[in-house]
Amino acid sequence: MANQIYSTVPRSSWNKRVNPDLDIERKNKSFNVERLTNILDGGAEFTQKRRQVGTYLQGLETTATYDASTQEFVLNTPTLSATKWWPGDLGRTATHALILANLYSSGRCHGMHGFILPIRSLQDHSPLPGITVGDIGPKMNFEQTDNGFLQLDHIRIPRENMLNRFSQVLPDGTYVKQGTPQSNYLTMIVLRVQLLASEFIPALVKACIIATRYSVVRHQSKIKPSEPEAKILDYQTQQQKLFPQLATAYAFHFIDEIVIEFFKKSYQEIINGNITNLPELHALSAGMKAMMSDHCILGAELCRRACGGHGYSLLSGLPSLVTKVTASCTYEGENTVLYLQTARFLLKNFLQVQSSQSTPTLPQSIQYLASAGSGRCPAQRTSDFLSPQLYTEAFAHVAARLIRNSAQKLHNLTSSGIDQYVAWNQTAILHLQAAKAHCYHFTVKTFVESLKKLEKEPEIYQVIKRLCDLYALHGLLSNLGDFLYDGYMSRAQVELATEAYFSLLSLIRKDAILLTDAFDFSDESLNSALGCYDGNVYERLFEWAQLSPTNTEGNPAYEKYLRPFLKNNRSKL
Amino acid sequence: MNPDLRRERDAASFDAEKLTHILDGGPERTRRRREIENLILNDPDFKHEDLNFLTRSQRYEIAVRKSATMVKKLRDFGIADPEEIMWFKRLHMIHFVEPVGLNYSMFIPTLLNQGTTAQQQKWLPPSKGLEIIGTYAQTEMGHGTHLRGLETTATYDPKTQEFILNSPTVTSIKWWPGGLGKTSNHAIVLAQLYTKGECYGLHAFIVPIREIGTHKPLPGIIVGDIGPKFGYDEMDNGYLKMDNYRIPRENMLMKYAQVKPDGTYVKPLNNKLTYGTMVFVRSFLVGEAARSLSKACTIAIRYSLVRHQSEIQPGDPEPQILDFQTQQFKLFPLLATAFAFQFVGAYMKETYHRINVDISQGDLSELPELHALTAGLKAFTSWTANSGIEACRMACGGHGYSHCSGLPNIYVTFTPTCTFEGENTVMMLQTARFLIKSYDQVHSGKLVGGMVSYLNDLSSQRIQPQQVAAWPAMVDINSPDSLTEAYKCRAARLVEAAARNLQAELKHRKSKEIAWNLTSVDLVRASEAHCHYVVVKIFSGNLSKIDDKPIQTVLKNLCLLYALYGISQNSGDFLQGGILTESQLTQVNQRMKELLTIIRPNAAALVDAFDFQDVSLGSVLGRYDGNIYENMFEWAKKSPLNKTQVHESYYKHLKPLQSKL
C-alpha cells in the first residue's frame, strides 16, 4: 500500500489548469530553467534521453544468474525500474561497465556482486546486442561528466567476468567466499559511491521539490491583516526550513559529479596496480557516504515535517522517501564507524605534516592541513561573507583546528601511558567532530569549484552561487561555536554572517520553484499528491484518498463490533 | 535473564524502584498503576496478535474491538478516575491510538464547554453511553492551525429554522479528524456562521453523519477514510464533505453565541474557557514527549548492553557497544533529556491544576504566561523528543530499522505531535509574542513576574556589554544552579537580540507584521532559548526535593550532562553572548566526557526506573530480560511471508526467468 503508484494524470474537472499560485512562480524567470536542467543532466542530449526513459531509476534490481551448462552469467534488468542509471561516461564513451547485480547460482541469491560487462563493440563502438545504452551521438563536445543509462536483456558474459577478489562462483555453480578484508575495500567503495547518486541525493531532491511546491500552494494565516492568507513559503520560518535543504540538494548533486570523476580516475589507476590514491579514495567515500546519508535523512524528514499534517499522509510521498533513505545510516557501513575511518586517515596525514621538515605532498582533499594556520577571518562587511574564498578558508581553518586538537588529545593520553586503543575510544567524540568538519569543508570547497565552471552562464551562475553561499553560511551558523571558539571569527562578524544569510533567503525565494523544476522529476517518480508539477494538490489528495481500500472494501469492523455494540448500548435505555 | 543485564542491574549505585516512585509521584501511585496494568496483562480478553504483522484494516478492527471491550472492562474493574483510565488506555491500546477516542477527548468536552443545559441533557447521556459515537471536525484540507481561515459554511434558514451546511470548495473538505472515516456517526463541525446575510465567524454544530442502525452516510454527506499514513494505522482519520446538508437550529452549540428562531444573532459574552482546554492538552503533550523519549531510551540502552561488537583492544572479547564513547555520547544526553522532560511534564501538570483552581475562582492573571509557556514547551519538547527517538533508532544499527525494535512505531506515533494541537513553529512564535510583550513592558518601566522575570535585569541595565566579562567567573560548570544562570543569560540575550532586530526592521519598513515575519527566525530562537532555560531550571530545581542521596547523586549527574550537552551543542550562543570563555568551553567538553563514564554503570537501572512493561515498549530489542536474539528469531517466524517455505512470487516471476536460460 505504501508504494502504490497513483495515477498522476489529472481528471477532467481540473485537467487543463495549473494551480495559479504555482503558475505565477514560474513567470518572470531570472534564468533559463531548461538550461539548468541540462547542466544538471550533464548536457542537453542527456536530458532528452533521460526523459525518454524516466528519472533517476535505481539499479539494484539487476540480476546475474549463473548458467552452469555454458559457464556464463546471464545479466538482466527485468523491469523498467531496474534500468541502470549509471552516473558517468556510460552515455557515450565507455566500452565496458562495472555492473552491480544480484547474483543467483544453484537456485540461491547471494547478494550484490560486481561484474565486468562489455557494452560496446571495440570496433565500431556500437552497443552490443541486447544492450540498450544511452546516447552515443557524434557531438561529443561537452566537458562536463555525462550520465547514461543501461538496459540489459539476457546478456551473457563469461564466468571470469565476475569480480572475484572476495568471492567466487566455481564452474559447477558453487558459491565460495574468499579473500582478505582489504580486498573488500574496492567493492565497498564502488557501492558507497554508487549509493550517493542512486539513493541519497534523489531522496533529498524529491523531498525538496514536494515541500517547496506545496509551500506555494498552501496558504495560511495572514502576514498583514489587510491581505489575503499568505503562501507559507513567504514565511521566513518556512524558508529557513526548506532553502538550506534545497541548497544541500544542489551542493550534493555537484559534489557527486566531482567524487565520481575522482573515483573513476583512481579506479583506473588501482586496476592498473597503482594504489597511491586508495587511502584517500577510501576515506573520501566513507566520509561522503556518512555525511550525505546523514544530511539526506535529516533533510528529507525536515521537508516532511515542513508540510504540516499532510506530510504525515503517505499520499504526500514523503514518508516513503524518509523511511527508504533512513535505512542508509547503517547499510554499507554505519555512519559513525565511517566517520571514524575518515578520522584515521586525517590523523595519519596530520602526523605526517607535523613530523616532516619540508612540506609533504598531501592528498588533494586535505592539502589545507599544510596551509591553514592561525589567522583570523578577514570579513569586514556583510558582503564579505558572500565570498567563496572567504568561507572556504573559514571551513578549512575549523577543520584543521579540530584535527589538530583531536591528534593532540590522543597524543596526551598515549604519552601518559594509556593504551592506544583505549585512548582512541576516549577521544572518539573528538575524532568524530574532526571528520565531520573535514567533510563539511570538502563539500564547500567542491561546490565552489563546480560553481566556477558555470561562470560563462551568468544568470545560472548567479542563482547557483546564492545556493552555494547559503549552503556554506548555513553550515557556519549551525556550527557557530566552532568558528568563534579560538577567536577565528569575532562576535561582530557573526552578526554580519547572519545578515548575509537572511538576505539570501529572500533572494532564493524568487527562484525557488524554478530551482525545483530544474531537477525535472516527473510526477510519476515523485508519486506525491502534494508535489505534482501542476500544483493541484487538494484535488489529488481527495481523489487518491477515495481509492484507499478502507473506502472501497466496506467496513467489516462495523459489522463485527460496532453494530452489536451500539445496538447493545441503545437497548439498555 | 541475559547475564549482561543482570550484572549491570546488580552494579547500580541506587535503588531503581525508589526512582520509579519519584517519577510516578509516590509509592502508592506506582502500586496502583501496576495493579491496573496487571489487570490488563492477566486478562485473556486483551490478548491479540502482534500488530506488526497485520494489515491496516486488521489493525483498525482490533482497535475497534478493544474500544468496545474497554468500556465494559472499565465498568467491571471500577476504574473511573481520569488518570487511572489513562494508565489503562496506555497499556491497553499500546500506541494510545483509539478510533472511538475523540468521542471522549473532544466530542463530550466540547458539549460540556459550549452546549446549553438543554443540549447537554439531550446529547451527553447517549455519547457517554456510546449509543452514539461522536468526533470533532475542525481542520480542513486547506486549513489547519489558522482557524479563522476555515471555509465550511453554516447558513441559517429562518423559514425552516435549520442550518444549511456546505463544503463550498475542495480545500474546505474536513480532513484528518480521528474516528471520522469509518467509526463515528456524529461530528461536532466547526463552520463559518451566516445569518441574515452576515458572517459571524466560527461556531460549532452537532452534525449527524451516519444513519443509526445501518451506519450508512446520510444523504448530502460524503465521508470516508483519508488513506494510508506514516503511522496511526489503527485510526480512521477521515474526510467529510457536506452538500446543502440541513440540521435543526438546536444543533448549534449555544452556550455563548446564539441564533434566534428569526435569525437574529446574539453575541457571546465572554469565552476564555477554550483557552483552558488548549493549555491542558498541550501540557499533557509535554508529558507524552517525555514518555515516548523514555521508551526509546529504554530500548536503545538495553540493546546496547546486550549487543557486543568489534574490539576496543585487539584480542579482547567484543565489548558491549555501550562501552564505546561514541555510543554513550549518542544515548546518555538523550537519557538525561528524558529525565528532564519527565520533571517538566510533572511540573506542567501541577501548574495547570493549580492555575485551574485560580481560573475557576475568576483569577485569570496567570493564564497568559501559562498559555505562552505550554505552547513553547510543547514545541520544544516534541521537537527534541522527535529527533531523540530517531537518534535512538539509528543508534541500534540495522536492527533499529526492523519493526521488531519497536522504535519505528514509537517514532511514527509520536511525530505528529510536532504538528497537531498547534504546529510547532507557530507555537514558538506565540511564546515569542509573550516574550516580546514582556520585554516591551519592562522597557516601559513595569516589572514582569514568573519565568520571564530575568527580563527585568535587562532593563536595569545589569547586563551591559562591558560587564559581560564579569559573567564567566560566575559560571561553575559543576553546579546545576550556576548552569541555570548561564541558560538564563542566553535566553535574555537572545530575547533582547530578537527584540532589537524587530525594532530595526520596524525602522526600515512600515508594517509591524512584515517586520515580525522578517524577524521570525530570531524570534523562534529566542523562544527555544527561553524554553531550554525553563527545562534546565525545572530539572535542577527538582534535585533538592529528592531525599534519597544515591538517587540525588545520579540525577544530579544527569542534570549536569543535560545542561552541559546543551551548551556544547549551542556553544556559539554562549561564546557570542560572552557567557562562557573558550577555556570554560573546553572544560565543558571535558566534563561531559567524564560524566558519560560516571553514568555508564547506572545506565541499566536508570531505564528500569521508567518501569515500562514489555508490552508497552513493543520491542524485542528492549525486553526486560534482554533475551533478544532468540526472540528476534521467533518474532521473524511470525511474518506472513514465512507462512509458506516458497513464496508464490517465486513461481510467478523468478522460476520463468530462470527457465528461459
Side-chain angles (χ1 to χ4, degrees), chain A residues 148-274:
Chain A
F149 66 92
L150 183 63
Q151 264 181 306
L152 309 174
D153 183 14
H154 297 95
I155 303 293
R156 290 182 168 258
I157 54 168
R159 188 180 65 91
E160 293 74 23
N161 282 23
M162 177 174 139
L163 298 177
N164 0 335
R165 280 198 201 168
F166 67 107
S167 59
Q168 204 182 345
V169 173
L170 301 179
D172 67 352
T174 313
Y175 179 79
V176 191
K177 275 200 171 252
Q178 60 183 32
T180 60
Q182 285 83 5
S183 64
N184 281 331
Y185 270 14
L186 206 55
T187 310
M188 264 166 29
I189 291 169
V190 173
L191 261 177
R192 277 174 199 155
V193 170
Q194 208 198 13
L195 281 170
L196 305 183
S198 70
E199 295 285 321
F200 308 163
I201 303 173
L204 182 62
V205 171
K206 286 181 189 175
C208 282
I209 297 173
I210 295 168
T212 308
R213 285 185 183 160
Y214 175 63
S215 295
V216 300
V217 172
R218 177 80 171 184
H219 289 250
Q220 189 160 291
S221 305
K222 297 171 176 189
I223 292 177
K224 286 172 91 167
S226 55
E227 286 172 6
E229 291 193 57
K231 295 177 176 183
I232 59 174
L233 197 63
D234 287 328
Y235 288 95
Q236 193 188 48
T237 46
Q238 188 75 352
Q239 295 168 8
Q240 153 84 355
K241 287 175 192 170
L242 296 184
F243 295 165
Q245 310 316 318
L246 184 62
T248 305
Y250 270 91
F252 287 1
H253 178 95
F254 287 118
I255 293 156
D256 179 58
E257 287 181 353
I258 306 268
V259 170
I260 298 280
E261 229 168 84
F262 176 66
F263 165 76
K264 280 191 304 192
K265 183 173 140 270
S266 314
Y267 186 84
Q268 213 46 54
E269 287 168 6
I270 293 163
I271 296 285
N272 296 333
N274 172 5

Side-chain angles (χ1 to χ4, degrees), chain A residues 413-423 426:
Chain A
L413 287 181
T414 47
S415 54
S416 74
I418 292 176
D419 179 277
Q420 59 165 321
Y421 298 100
V422 176
Q426 285 180 8

Side-chain angles (χ1 to χ4, degrees), chain A residues 218 223 236 241 301 304 309-310 312 314 323 326 336 421 425-426 485 491 550-551 560 563 569, chain B residues 61 130 141 176 182 213 225 228 230 312 325 330 393 401 411-412 415 425 513 517 521 576 582 586:
Chain A
R218 177 80 171 184
I223 292 177
Q236 193 188 48
K241 287 175 192 170
E301 174 65 358
R304 186 189 67 75
H310 293 327
Y312 192 68
L314 292 198
T323 50
T326 198
T336 304
Y421 298 100
N425 188 32
Q426 285 180 8
Y485 181 80
R491 292 189 219 162
T550 41
N551 292 323
K560 259 191 182 145
R563 188 205 291 277
N569 291 338
Chain B
E61 191 173 315
L130 280 181
M141 209 192 303
W176 282 113
K182 310 306 284 182
D225 174 80
F230 205 8
I312 289 176
Q325 191 187 53
K330 283 177 191 169
R393 184 185 67 70
Y401 192 68
Y411 185 77
V412 298
T415 190
T425 302
E513 294 79 13
N517 185 31
V521 170
Q576 174 80 353
E582 182 183 325
T586 308

